[in-house]
Amino acid sequence: LEQQWTRYLHFGMGDRDPKVRSAVFAVLHDLLRDDPNVPAQIVAALIEHSKPKILARCHDVDPAVGAAAVRCVSSIAAREMLAESEYDPVIDLVWDSDAQRRVEAAAFISRFVLTEDILDYPTKNGPHSGGLMPTGAGGGAVARRRVTMLLQFLVEYSEGHFRLVD
């Protein structure tokens, strides 16, 4: 990834047109996934240089851009290049008024915040289309464990968003 190409990528992240920004984040998401054709050290340099802009775009005025940016942040976290202190802006999106951002934030929380991924994912569509109810073995016990983790998350992170009653 040449420096000039990276510069164009950053220009695209700040473009006025939300469709352009969404397209840039879609391309970036593809780059951030484990692509054997792209050397890991080049991707790491791109992440370190772009991460603040990507995190900021999670709160883009256009919900589709914000959701696409959250998918990129999930890819960064999967590469273990996201500090825990950088999780909060994404976690806060689970309370967002837009459903696209909430879905992506929920998938992020499930994969990187909870002790086990509580969503079952259709293999065809990837992590952003999961459901809470188990589709595999374990049934009721797995569902209870997942609901317990979800409730613990709500108690810990809902401050300022909801008032929980004992």
Side-chain angles (χ1 to χ4, degrees):
L1 299 173
E2 298 174 17
Q3 187 174 9
Q4 185 174 4
W5 189 90
T6 304
R7 190 176 315 150
Y8 286 123
L9 180 72
H10 288 176
F11 286 148
M13 285 183 199
D15 196 277
R16 290 181 184 179
D17 186 348
K19 290 179 183 176
V20 171
R21 293 193 308 271
S22 284
V24 166
F25 282 108
V27 168
L28 185 59
H29 182 249
D30 287 343
L31 279 174
L32 295 176
R33 287 197 239 176
D34 286 327
D35 185 349
N37 298 322
V38 182
Q41 66 272 21
I42 292 176
V43 174
L46 175 65
I47 289 171
E48 284 307 315
H49 192 340
S50 304
K51 188 168 38 171
K53 293 177 194 292
I54 297 168
L55 285 166
R57 284 293 171 192
C58 290
H59 297 274
D60 194 279
V61 295
D62 186 87
V65 175
V70 173
R71 282 191 291 278
C72 289
V73 171
S74 291
S75 294
I76 293 170
R79 289 179 169 269
E80 298 180 356
M81 295 189 69
L82 192 68
E84 278 192 44
S85 61
E86 295 170 312
Y87 284 20
D88 286 343
V90 178
I91 291 171
D92 288 343
L93 290 173
V94 80
W95 316 111
D96 195 83
S97 62
D98 178 70
Q100 293 176 76
R101 276 192 269 243
R102 285 194 312 266
V103 166
E104 296 301 336
F108 176 87
I109 290 164
S110 181
R111 290 180 66 202
F112 303 108
V113 176
L114 301 177
T115 56
E116 95 180 49
D117 193 346
I118 65 170
L119 299 177
D120 283 330
Y121 305 107
T123 55
K124 201 175 186 185
N125 296 325
H128 58 278
S129 55
L132 182 59
M133 296 314 294
T135 57
V142 171
R144 279 190 295 282
R145 187 175 65 246
R146 290 176 177 182
V147 169
T148 301
M149 281 191 289
L150 188 58
L151 290 173
Q152 289 171 341
F153 168 82
L154 288 172
V155 168
E156 187 171 335
Y157 287 96
S158 68
E159 187 176 323
H161 298 285
F162 296 103
R163 182 169 177 238
L164 297 177
V165 180
D166 289 328

